Amino acid sequence: MNQQFGRTLIELMIAIAISVVIVLGISALYSASTRSTQAATQLGAMNEDGALSLHLIGQSIKRAGYGEIVGTDFVPNDQTLFSFANIRACKNGRFANPGTNNFDCNTVANAPDSLVIQFQGESVASSAQRSTFNCLGANPVLTQIVEKDHPAYLTEVPLVINVYEIVNGSLACSGNSQPFQAMAGNIDEFKIFFGYDDKAADDALLGKTNISPGAANIVDADFIRAKDLSFSGRENTAWDYIVSVHICAVAKTREKGTSVTGNTPYEGCPQDASQVLGNGPTRTPTDAAIRKQYRQVFTVRSQATSSPSVRFK
């Protein structure tokens, strides 16, 4: 009788079952590895976009109100070729038309904030330097000084106008009324607060010059807009006493379901002035996307003087 060699049906079934378990394990490992790699890639892109956007906005803020010196007398105003709005902001809304000096706000509950920064972008009184581009990389636009008592009345000044808003879920910029272009995608929150020299502003309303600057209070755009009503008919505005700008943005990864740990809580942007020097509200997402808060403070250099109530425009 010949002896037969081979595998029984039971052995084959066991081998197949073991193979299936191994393949499923490898597939699960590959899937987890792919998700981790995807999350790391998107986190890197998010970090780069968020940090770079705040840096670009900060470079603009530092130059807010800058103008070429043309005056020689010690008087509060009209010492530079800058005779325009230096900083304007909307709380929970967008500007009507900042390109035409219409800084009215169209507000919507819980909407992101908006910011306008303006400064002189090229020399006029002295030899020409390299122009400072606006946020879209274009040259400044010649704009006339229309204050009749200004020593440079009707002089055309190369003006940079940068407008920062959330447009279609992206932090976007418009330079000198150009169409908005995205700086960073997938931005959930954009909040703006200000370091405001109340004492200098109050002294200016009384006709005084504040020799020793007071401590800056943290306020929002609505506070300054209300304060500005007291400056009606004056050359200065309440916005001229901003000494710093506090910017906060919350970015998220581009794809939903990125977080391998599910809906991970994150710190949102401050919602009022009392939260600016502390922690913002804790939020829990519902889409498993990873979110991160970016916050930075920038000094307004044109106001960083020993006498903030004296505006060297």
Side-chain angles (χ1 to χ4, degrees):
M1 183 176 180
N2 294 328
Q3 187 175 4
Q4 294 182 349
F5 297 94
R7 303 295 181 186
T8 65
L9 180 59
I10 294 177
E11 289 175 323
L12 287 173
M13 292 179 65
I14 293 174
I16 292 172
I18 294 174
S19 299
V20 169
V21 171
I22 294 174
V23 170
L24 290 176
I26 294 174
S27 298
L29 181 62
Y30 175 78
S31 177
S33 176
T34 300
R35 289 183 64 190
S36 296
T37 301
Q38 180 187 39
T41 300
Q42 292 197 41
L43 278 173
M46 179 183 71
N47 287 331
E48 183 177 345
D49 286 349
L52 180 60
S53 295
L54 260 62
H55 171 75
L56 293 175
I57 295 174
Q59 293 300 104
S60 183
I61 290 171
K62 291 174 184 178
R63 299 196 64 178
Y66 165 76
E68 189 177 7
I69 296 175
V70 294
T72 57
D73 295 329
F74 185 80
V75 293
N77 301 299
D78 303 330
Q79 294 300 292
T80 78
L81 287 178
F82 185 84
S83 184
F84 312 94
N86 57 347
I87 297 176
R88 295 293 184 271
C90 290
K91 179 180 179 180
N92 302 130
R94 304 179 64 180
F95 295 99
N97 193 351
T100 61
N101 286 321
N102 184 347
F103 299 107
D104 292 339
C105 297
N106 300 318
T107 59
V108 179
N110 301 317
D113 296 348
S114 301
L115 180 69
V116 167
I117 303 295
Q118 297 190 105
F119 54 88
Q120 182 182 343
E122 173 62 289
S123 299
V124 174
S126 59
S127 59
Q129 307 293 320
R130 183 177 179 180
S131 293
T132 298
F133 297 142
N134 63 31
C135 58
L136 299 184
N139 284 314
V141 174
L142 291 176
T143 307
Q144 279 190 338
I145 293 177
V146 296
E147 294 179 9
K148 292 186 177 180
D149 58 347
H150 194 286
Y153 175 58
L154 296 184
T155 298
E156 290 188 324
V157 178
L159 188 66
V160 171
I161 307 174
N162 290 333
V163 185
Y164 302 97
E165 298 180 353
I166 299 295
V167 179
N168 298 324
S170 295
L171 179 56
C173 182
S174 168
N176 294 89
S177 299
Q178 295 171 281
F180 278 96
Q181 291 187 20
M183 300 170 58
N186 299 289
I187 302 296
D188 272 359
E189 301 179 41
F190 184 54
K191 299 295 292 182
I192 305 161
F193 295 89
F194 303 95
Y196 190 72
D197 193 342
D198 259 327
K199 186 178 188 304
D202 291 341
D203 284 350
L205 289 172
L206 297 174
K208 299 179 180 179
T209 297
N210 179 24
I211 302 301
S212 300
N217 297 312
I218 306 300
V219 301
D220 59 22
D222 282 353
F223 176 94
I224 300 178
R225 286 182 177 276
K227 188 87 170 181
D228 199 40
L229 296 176
S230 301
F231 284 82
S232 178
R234 297 172 179 264
E235 187 174 358
N236 280 17
T237 72
W239 297 94
D240 296 313
Y241 301 95
I242 295 171
V243 296
S244 62
V245 182
H246 300 243
I247 302 289
C248 178
V250 170
K252 66 180 179 180
T253 49
R254 292 185 176 91
E255 297 180 14
K256 297 181 179 181
T258 303
S259 176
V260 295
T261 58
N263 292 316
T264 305
Y266 66 95
E267 182 183 348
C269 286
Q271 298 302 296
D272 55 53
S274 66
Q275 297 178 345
V276 171
L277 300 180
N279 297 323
T282 299
R283 306 188 190 281
T284 301
T286 58
D287 56 9
I290 301 173
R291 287 170 172 79
K292 183 177 179 180
Q293 179 207 90
Y294 298 85
R295 197 192 300 194
Q296 199 162 349
V297 183
F298 301 97
T299 299
V300 181
R301 291 176 176 173
S302 65
Q303 298 296 72
T305 69
S306 60
S307 185
S309 66
V310 176
R311 178 176 55 146
F312 293 99
K313 296 200 309 178

